[in-house]
Amino acid sequence: MLFRSDARFKEYDQKLRAVPTMNVALTVVAAFLDGLKDSHTYFQPPARSYTIDYGYRLAVIGDAVFVERVKPETDAVAKVRAGDRVLSINGGAVSRESFQRMQYLLNVLQPQPSLRLALSDPVGLERTVAVETQVTQGRALRNLSGAGAGLELQEMELAEEAERHRLRHRHVVEGDVMIWKMPIFLSENGEIDAMFAIARKAKTLILDLRGNPGGRVDTLRRMLGNLFPSDVTIGTRVTRKGKSPLVAKSRGADAFSGRLIVLVDAGSGSSAELLARVVQLEHRGTVLGDRSAGAVMEARMFPFAQVAPTLIAYAFTVTDADLVMTDGRSLEGQGVVPDEPVLPGGADLAAGRDPVMARAAALAGVTLDRSEEHTSEL
């Protein structure tokens, strides 16, 4: 076993004692866990006193990585364009296989003041640019008991409210088609049921799970319970203690019974891809888009804190269960292969087109205008 290997422990202990900076120390801890090759076992380091913004958002499409969007008023605006394919970052090749590890390194473990990007535009012209990172300094410490505590708490509440707004459900209705953008599986039953109350008025539901990293198993169960007329088995939970079925209880007559189209991509993970696979296995609807992330383990978080002289909070997330689908296979490391692969190209990203949503709408019998194609902007 990896964690019972005295040689491996000693190797990383020695590396940790010799690190030159805190960032390198965090990376060594993360690398020790990375040896498991497990999507849900990883290190969550202490929060930093600053935030970073590289000025662009990247997306995996097929086996390549593209610039999906560029943020205004950043150094990237004049150097990077939506639709550019990213060939390398700081000299390291970028691909589907390396993308999540690269994002973890650059966004969490070792944020960089600038990045050197090798890019290829939609017509194949290559260039290399250096993009400065936007750094916003925050507070290293928060005083929640003394003078000014009220302002500190208010600022924290505003930040939480902004995050809730970012992760809200969005939807549009076009004729007898409802398009539902679900960013994450963290909703309570009442919120999910309210969305399906709207969906039941439509003949077709396009459920957009692209970029959805997953979340709570209870939310997954409630979603599936609203999609099937009877109880449905998601799969078998496999733990050290044994095996047990994971079942979603149907809402019966209140379940949506119309046509279902599910959209996934490389950013769809965990509960999002489990829902898509159940839809495939039960022949409940059609899955469109790109192969999903293949990150479906169940995990527990173990929080820790050092309280003197200042509070330093960190955590480890550790897998405690695998899930085997009803076809006898796990999605871990494999992902969901769509019934109909539809991949945007660099030219689509540059022009703001969404061929995946356009194809889903065509299957549903509607034509969307440009404002409705991007449910991420609803």
Side-chain angles (χ1 to χ4, degrees):
M1 294 290 292
L2 178 66
F3 287 97
R4 295 180 181 176
S5 169
D6 290 339
R8 181 179 174 82
F9 180 86
K10 289 179 180 178
E11 175 190 355
Y12 279 84
D13 182 56
Q14 291 174 357
K15 288 181 179 180
L16 197 58
R17 294 174 186 276
V19 296
T21 67
M22 177 59 71
N23 279 351
V24 176
L26 298 178
T27 303
V28 170
V29 175
F32 179 73
L33 296 177
D34 187 59
L36 282 173
K37 306 302 179 185
D38 183 317
S39 65
H40 281 58
T41 298
Y42 56 91
F43 173 48
Q44 298 182 27
R48 300 177 185 274
S49 62
Y50 58 88
T51 59
I52 60 168
D53 190 340
Y54 290 117
Y56 46 84
R57 187 169 73 187
L58 304 181
V60 174
I61 301 176
D63 294 323
V65 176
F66 289 84
V67 176
E68 188 175 32
R69 293 189 186 175
V70 180
K71 186 175 181 179
E73 300 180 1
T74 63
D75 187 54
V77 169
K79 302 173 181 178
V80 180
R81 294 184 290 275
D84 285 338
R85 179 174 177 177
V86 183
L87 305 177
S88 69
I89 297 180
N90 285 353
V94 180
S95 66
R96 173 187 278 262
E97 287 70 27
S98 66
F99 182 73
Q100 289 301 327
R101 188 174 299 171
M102 175 199 70
Q103 291 286 82
Y104 180 46
L105 180 67
L106 296 179
N107 292 317
V108 179
L109 298 176
Q110 295 189 27
Q112 300 295 305
S114 66
L115 293 177
R116 189 175 74 258
L117 308 179
L119 305 170
S120 175
D121 69 16
V123 297
L125 296 177
E126 297 185 7
R127 67 189 190 281
T128 299
V129 298
V131 182
E132 298 298 317
T133 305
Q134 187 176 83
V135 180
T136 303
Q137 188 62 48
R139 290 183 175 85
L141 299 173
R142 288 189 180 274
N143 181 359
L144 301 181
S145 59
L151 290 176
E152 293 275 15
L153 288 169
Q154 184 180 45
E155 184 177 307
M156 293 172 65
E157 289 172 358
L158 288 173
E160 290 175 2
E161 183 178 340
E163 183 66 5
R164 286 195 298 270
H165 180 76
R166 185 180 71 85
L167 296 176
R168 73 195 188 283
H169 296 265
R170 285 97 79 186
H171 78 279
V172 294
V173 176
E174 180 70 24
D176 57 7
V177 177
M178 175 180 169
I179 303 172
W180 174 0
K181 176 67 175 180
M182 186 179 186
I184 197 167
F185 279 67
L186 290 179
S187 302
E188 299 299 330
N189 289 349
E191 184 179 6
I192 296 170
D193 296 346
M195 291 296 292
F196 275 104
I198 302 171
R200 286 198 300 272
K201 300 174 183 178
K203 291 182 179 180
T204 301
L205 171 61
I206 299 175
L207 182 59
D208 190 350
L209 301 180
R210 292 176 296 173
N212 185 319
R216 290 165 40 188
V217 174
D218 286 347
T219 302
L220 169 64
R221 283 173 161 166
R222 196 64 174 188
M223 289 291 294
L224 290 170
N226 273 285
L227 289 171
F228 287 87
S230 57
D231 296 354
V232 61
T233 299
I234 301 170
T236 301
R237 293 182 73 251
V238 181
T239 71
R240 290 184 176 181
K241 296 181 179 180
K243 301 178 181 180
S244 60
L246 182 62
V247 178
K249 184 174 178 58
S250 172
R251 295 193 69 222
D254 289 328
F256 172 74
S257 59
R259 184 177 186 183
L260 177 64
I261 301 173
V262 181
L263 310 184
V264 296
D265 65 5
S268 305
S270 191
S271 292
E273 52 189 330
L274 288 171
L275 184 148
R277 185 56 179 154
V278 171
V279 167
Q280 285 183 327
L281 292 172
E282 299 295 327
H283 306 288
R284 174 64 182 87
T286 303
V287 178
L288 301 180
D290 196 0
R291 178 164 60 92
S292 65
V296 296
M297 298 292 196
E298 283 189 40
R300 291 179 58 193
M301 179 184 291
F302 296 88
F304 296 90
Q306 177 179 315
V307 295
T310 60
L311 175 64
I312 302 176
Y314 58 98
F316 294 92
T317 298
V318 179
T319 290
D320 63 353
D322 190 7
L323 187 65
V324 177
M325 308 302 293
T326 56
D327 63 352
R329 299 179 180 180
S330 170
L331 295 177
E332 180 70 13
Q334 304 298 317
V336 176
V337 178
D339 300 310
E340 183 177 335
V342 184
L343 306 182
D348 293 313
L349 297 174
R353 295 189 297 263
D354 187 348
V356 183
M357 181 59 69
R359 176 56 180 159
L363 289 176
V366 298
T367 301
L368 302 179
D369 63 32
R370 290 291 294 279
S371 65
E372 292 170 324
E373 277 192 13
H374 277 288
T375 54
S376 60
E377 298 176 350
L378 294 177

